[in-house]
Amino acid sequence: MKVILTAVNSKFIHSNLAVRYLKAYTKDLNYECIIKEFSINDRIERIVHELINEKPDVIAFSCYIWNIEYVEKISKLIKLIDENIVILFGGPEVSYDGMSYLKDFSCDYVIEGEGENIYRELIECMINKCSENLLANIKGLFYKNDGKMLYTGKRELMDMNKLIFPYEEGEDFNNKIVYYEASRGCPFNCKYCLSSTIHGVRFLDIERVKRELKFFMDKKVQLVKFVDRTFNCNPRFASQIWGYLIKQDTETTFHFEISADILNEEEIELLKKAPKGRFQFEVGVQTSNNEVLKNINRTANFNDIKEKVEELMKIKNIKQHLDLIAGLPGESYDSFINSFNDLYSIHPEEIQLGFLKLLKGSSMREEEKKWGMVYSPYPPYEILKTRDISYEELIQLKRVEEMVDKYYNSGKFNTIIKYFIYRFNSAYSFYNSLGNFFYNKGYFSRNISSADYYKVFLEFNREILGDSNEILNEIIKFDYLKFNKKKWLPQFLHREEDKACEKNIKDNLISSDILKKNKTINNYHIEKFKIDIPSFINNDKVIQGEFYILFKENDINTIRDVTMWLKV
């Protein structure tokens, strides 16, 4: 018997943990099992061809909100081509409405919830061609029999330590995000989250976790993302893992979802010892409105979150990604603007502006009428409006989201943003105005070049603020050169070349042993500016004159004010 465990991931760089767990958990059984991974950017026809070409007996799909519509089309085409291929669905998207998927989709079996034991017993049953009576004993399974749709009942949660490590020795981890799980469950009961439907938290043996993380480090995996819902819910467990990773000699980065407000002083002191880039944290803020936090069963207080996040920022060794959710029950447009400005004042490395999704199985769905929630009936079930925020206001926030993601989160426009942000009465006002400008210009509906993303600011400054672009040109030129090729500038950026001055500076840098007189000198570029860029960055001062900055190709960190070397 041949089974294909199929994952349709949201991006090529993602890897699917679920299908690997299933394969590893059944590797001792007498059947052929292969994993096929695709992305939602692949053509459905190509996916179907690759699956059919393997001549499988069973095709199992890992189902999520981002891929269920693809899975539906793929499975339907497979059944049209060969109705004898057995189709199996599992995953969070089908776990809370299994009977409807069995009824309306082209599948024969649906696994409910935690799938390892259910999948193993089902495969054993198929291998041994067991009777329907034995099939009915597999708890947590929806299946069809003689035109009837049957459900075998709830299943108890498993002991996590019975899981088999899902990654194999020969796997290619190049350019892949690798996912890892050290615990299941969450102690909190946020109404929008599926983890709130399962009470209690289960942990892997800590020594096992260390061994498995060593595997990733030995394989030189670039990024390992823990899928644990709240990694630091057990301070002792989190501290032991963090302490272990801090001591390792590795370039691997480890990503954790944490609740910042429950970090204690011992943990913060420990995290101060982490090498820069070893950890990155994702912190769910969601809103700074404490009443709205209560509405979704979050016990956190925004000021507590802010205090701990700012403590971590002072360490300057951990990248932090902070989340907001628009459309929460009881949060108006004005309240969300306050939340945005409150969070922006922290200046984390990344801000994610997400939108509430009323997931199947979440308790939030039970309160939709209470809060006047209207959401899309199609995956990902995103909020359309509530009694407190209109559809039009949410669309406005969508534009802000795109501006924040493109300009703030990329980190490539920081000096430009600094120039504009204080010209508006709030951070939100700036991003909102910029988003409206993009919309009115039609930039959202067509592709614009990477250089045009800089050019937009010159248009924005002139048309919206009515200002001269003389100073802004210099600031844009600096950000552009920092992240792009130095020898060429797009036509809209003014370059005033003075080869004699540049040669004089380079000669003085060489004579002072700051640069070496060899072929590497060509890796450096000197650019003339009409304003003192470092003074603007550090002190918000616009000082005009003639200034020179040294850039190194392919190194955004080697930037130096070399104006003084003209006078040596």
Side-chain angles (χ1 to χ4, degrees):
M1 185 176 76
K2 184 174 185 178
V3 177
I4 304 178
L5 295 169
T6 309
V8 183
N9 301 321
S10 59
K11 292 182 181 178
F12 169 77
I13 59 171
H14 293 175
S15 57
N16 188 285
L17 184 58
V19 294
R20 286 172 169 79
Y21 269 141
L22 298 182
K23 182 179 180 181
Y25 203 66
T26 56
K27 64 182 180 181
D28 59 316
L29 298 183
N30 184 28
Y31 82 118
E32 183 181 358
C33 180
I34 64 171
I35 289 174
K36 300 284 283 185
E37 289 191 89
F38 307 95
S39 87
I40 57 176
N41 296 312
D42 288 314
R43 289 175 56 247
I44 286 175
E45 292 78 9
R46 184 180 82 81
I47 297 174
V48 170
H49 172 70
E50 286 204 27
L51 295 175
I52 291 290
N53 199 46
E54 292 287 346
K55 297 183 170 27
D57 298 293
V58 180
I59 300 178
F61 290 96
S62 184
C63 303
Y64 305 87
I65 54 174
W66 66 78
N67 73 5
I68 189 63
E69 292 177 328
Y70 289 81
V71 169
E72 178 185 11
K73 292 174 183 177
I74 294 164
S75 58
K76 188 169 185 176
L77 289 173
I78 288 168
K79 280 293 190 181
L80 288 172
I81 295 165
D82 187 348
E83 63 179 9
N84 294 315
I85 294 176
V86 174
I87 303 290
L88 168 64
F89 285 179
E93 174 56 20
V94 299
S95 287
Y96 298 91
D97 199 9
M99 196 63 78
S100 71
Y101 283 100
L102 202 64
K103 177 183 176 183
D104 300 329
F105 282 52
S106 301
C107 65
D108 302 288
Y109 298 93
V110 177
I111 286 175
E112 179 183 62
E114 204 167 51
E116 289 84 5
N117 280 323
I118 305 168
Y119 175 76
R120 180 182 176 89
E121 291 172 17
L122 178 59
I123 294 300
E124 285 178 315
C125 202
M126 290 179 174
I127 292 171
N128 298 322
K129 296 180 171 57
C130 68
S131 67
E132 199 276 330
N133 286 337
L134 291 175
L135 188 66
N137 289 329
I138 302 175
K139 294 294 184 185
L141 187 68
F142 295 87
Y143 68 99
K144 296 173 182 175
N145 184 51
D146 290 334
K148 296 180 181 178
M149 291 175 289
L150 303 168
Y151 172 54
T152 59
K154 293 287 182 184
R155 190 182 193 101
E156 289 186 1
L157 299 175
M158 69 183 296
D159 177 356
M160 270 196 76
N161 285 295
K162 291 183 178 178
L163 290 169
I164 309 299
F165 182 62
Y167 293 97
E168 298 177 349
E169 189 65 36
E171 278 202 65
D172 181 8
F173 296 112
N174 274 340
N175 301 315
K176 289 285 187 180
I177 297 173
V178 174
Y179 293 89
Y180 182 75
E181 183 178 44
S183 66
R184 286 182 178 176
C186 182
F188 305 112
N189 295 297
C190 303
K191 292 179 182 179
Y192 55 80
C193 181
L194 291 181
S195 294
S196 64
T197 63
I198 300 171
H199 300 292
V201 186
R202 292 162 290 153
F203 297 88
L204 285 179
D205 176 76
I206 201 156
E207 294 305 317
R208 170 181 170 169
V209 173
K210 292 176 183 178
R211 289 193 304 271
E212 292 174 352
L213 295 179
K214 182 70 162 57
F215 172 87
F216 298 133
M217 291 184 277
D218 290 344
K219 295 294 180 184
K220 301 189 185 305
V221 172
Q222 187 174 354
L223 176 62
V224 175
K225 292 189 80 168
F226 279 70
V227 299
D228 306 50
R229 299 309 303 162
T230 306
F231 181 78
N232 63 322
C233 65
N234 181 325
R236 184 173 179 275
F237 183 84
S239 293
Q240 287 192 57
I241 299 300
W242 286 336
Y244 169 74
L245 293 174
I246 286 169
K247 294 176 183 177
Q248 304 307 303
D249 181 14
T250 180
E251 296 300 313
T252 301
T253 297
F254 297 89
H255 178 104
F256 303 92
E257 290 186 38
I258 69 162
S259 283
D261 55 302
I262 62 173
L263 283 172
N264 58 44
E265 289 307 313
E266 291 78 11
E267 288 172 303
I268 290 175
E269 286 302 312
L270 173 65
L271 291 168
K272 287 179 180 179
K273 302 174 185 176
K276 187 173 183 178
R278 181 65 46 86
F279 299 146
Q280 56 187 40
F281 288 166
E282 183 172 344
V283 180
V285 177
Q286 322 315 9
T287 175
S288 66
N289 186 324
N290 291 326
E291 287 304 311
V292 175
L293 287 172
K294 290 177 185 176
N295 293 341
I296 56 174
N297 269 1
R298 280 180 67 85
T299 57
N301 177 288
F302 174 71
N303 288 331
D304 294 337
I305 296 172
K306 181 179 180 180
E307 178 186 342
K308 295 300 172 64
V309 167
E310 289 180 335
E311 276 194 71
L312 290 175
M313 288 186 70
K314 291 175 185 175
I315 302 171
K316 295 183 178 179
N317 62 350
I318 297 172
K319 179 180 177 180
Q320 294 188 85
H321 169 123
L322 271 55
D323 296 342
L324 286 174
I325 298 179
L328 291 174
E331 179 137 79
S332 67
Y333 182 66
D334 288 341
S335 172
F336 187 84
I337 290 173
N338 289 335
S339 293
F340 181 92
N341 288 329
D342 286 340
L343 187 144
Y344 197 91
S345 70
I346 301 173
H347 298 294
E349 284 79 2
E350 289 185 5
I351 294 172
Q352 179 174 316
L353 200 172
F355 294 80
L356 180 65
K357 295 168 180 60
L358 277 78
L359 303 176
K360 290 182 177 180
S362 68
S363 60
M364 197 80 266
R365 280 204 175 191
E366 299 171 10
E367 298 187 2
E368 58 178 288
K369 291 182 179 177
K370 176 181 177 181
W371 301 105
M373 291 182 167
V374 178
Y375 63 94
S376 170
Y378 310 110
Y381 316 114
E382 191 167 282
I383 195 74
L384 297 174
K385 62 180 181 177
T386 75
R387 75 178 189 200
D388 298 292
I389 194 166
S390 69
Y391 172 75
E392 291 75 17
E393 288 167 336
L394 287 170
I395 291 298
Q396 197 71 31
L397 295 180
K398 289 275 186 181
R399 295 173 193 165
V400 172
E401 174 203 18
E402 291 204 45
M403 294 298 92
V404 170
D405 191 51
K406 177 61 190 177
Y407 286 116
Y408 183 90
N409 290 343
S410 71
K412 295 180 179 181
F413 305 86
N414 290 349
T415 318
I416 301 170
I417 291 172
K418 183 181 179 70
Y419 175 81
F420 279 106
I421 204 84
Y422 296 114
R423 293 165 172 253
F424 290 81
N425 59 18
S426 70
Y428 181 85
S429 294
F430 164 63
Y431 288 102
N432 186 50
S433 182
L434 185 62
N436 287 335
F437 182 75
F438 257 68
Y439 176 75
N440 292 328
K441 284 285 190 176
Y443 293 148
F444 285 131
S445 55
R446 63 181 176 88
N447 291 326
I448 66 175
S449 70
S450 57
D452 282 342
Y453 276 106
Y454 291 87
K455 183 181 179 182
V456 162
F457 286 107
L458 295 172
E459 300 172 0
F460 179 70
N461 190 51
R462 184 175 59 250
E463 296 177 29
I464 302 302
L465 298 180
D467 284 352
S468 163
N469 283 331
E470 184 179 5
I471 292 171
L472 179 59
N473 183 90
E474 302 301 291
I475 289 169
I476 293 176
K477 184 168 64 173
F478 173 77
D479 273 356
Y480 184 89
L481 287 172
K482 185 175 180 181
F483 294 98
N484 295 277
K485 294 292 184 183
K486 321 302 180 198
K487 302 298 183 184
W488 175 86
L489 275 179
Q491 289 183 346
F492 60 84
L493 289 178
H494 176 71
R495 168 173 272 170
E496 185 180 334
E497 294 186 283
D498 191 332
K499 294 296 184 183
C501 286
E502 291 170 21
K503 183 179 184 303
N504 185 12
I505 292 171
K506 277 190 177 181
D507 289 344
N508 284 324
L509 290 171
I510 291 167
S511 65
S512 302
D513 257 0
I514 293 171
L515 292 182
K516 301 297 180 184
K517 189 176 182 179
N518 53 37
K519 61 181 179 180
T520 61
I521 192 69
N522 294 322
N523 293 331
Y524 291 87
H525 170 76
I526 293 174
E527 184 74 23
K528 183 178 180 181
F529 290 86
K530 294 180 180 178
I531 68 168
D532 185 345
I533 296 290
S535 179
F536 174 74
I537 292 173
N538 297 323
N539 305 309
D540 299 327
K541 292 182 179 179
V542 176
I543 300 171
Q544 294 180 288
E546 291 187 359
F547 304 90
Y548 293 84
I549 292 180
L550 178 77
F551 296 87
K552 185 178 181 182
E553 289 285 358
N554 303 318
D555 184 356
I556 64 171
N557 295 314
T558 302
I559 296 172
R560 184 165 181 173
D561 181 0
V562 292
T563 306
M564 64 172 286
W565 296 98
L566 181 63
K567 303 171 184 177
V568 172

